[in-house]
Amino acid sequence: MGFTSLCSHPSFSHPWRTLLAHLVSLHLLHLGSAQFRVVAPDDHITAVVGKDVVLRCELSPRKNAWRCSDIKWIQHRSAGLLHHYRNGSDLEQVKEYKGRTELLRDGLSDGNLDLCITAVSSTDSGTYICAVEDADGYAGAVVNLEVSGQPLFQITHPWKVALALVITLLVGSSVVTIIFLHRKQAAQSRKLSESFQHLPITFEYLLHLCIIPPNNNL
């Protein structure tokens, strides 16, 4: 059974056909070229949910990767193009990674093929292939990414946090004001009560004021 008939078999889904085509091309072209290799300095990378991660690969021997006609980062699970760079331009990529990947071009001149993935999730765990093609041939390397755990502190909705903080400050300020006014009123009432207690007013004195009218001739 040939490669074409195998790929056209009904049990072969499109993602697997795409991945198999990538792998076969990678293997055959790599065998025919000994000009360079793609090396993964760390083939097992760990990351935390919500954080950014860099998948690292490099050319060996080192050479300017700007001249590479085609650089692809492929997700093994879906066989989709995570990132596709060709002749200085970023091309198509799978929907779930759109706007989340960046080929770090600052390192291309040194032969680095590093790819940054932002805000990783547990579904990003898996195997990734970095494949490079230029006039000297075709080569690739595999990097495994493990995403686990939760970030120590992650703000999902910053505006909600800001609103909650403002409400808390307003409520706290109101409570402090109410307590201050209550204590001030209590102190004034206590002071007034104490002043009345020191007045020399007796029942006989009040009766005297009521019975004897004041003498204006004095």
Side-chain angles (χ1 to χ4, degrees), residues 8 17 29 32 35 42 58-59 66 79 87 113 131 141 143 156 158 160 176 179 205:
S8 60
R17 289 200 301 270
L29 292 175
Q35 298 298 319
D42 187 358
E58 59 189 43
L59 296 176
W66 280 103
N87 296 327
L113 310 168
V143 178
T156 306
K160 290 184 178 180
V176 171
I179 293 176
Y205 179 70

Side-chain angles (χ1 to χ4, degrees), residues 188-202:
Q188 291 176 343
S189 299
R190 185 167 54 254
K191 186 176 181 180
L192 183 61
S193 176
E194 291 175 353
S195 64
F196 273 114
Q197 290 178 1
H198 290 85
L199 288 177
I201 300 176
T202 62

Side-chain angles (χ1 to χ4, degrees), residues 45-64:
I45 298 175
T46 59
V48 179
V49 171
K51 300 296 183 180
D52 299 347
V53 66
V54 176
L55 306 182
R56 301 190 182 279
C57 276
E58 59 189 43
L59 296 176
S60 179
R62 294 274 188 168
K63 67 175 185 176
N64 192 345

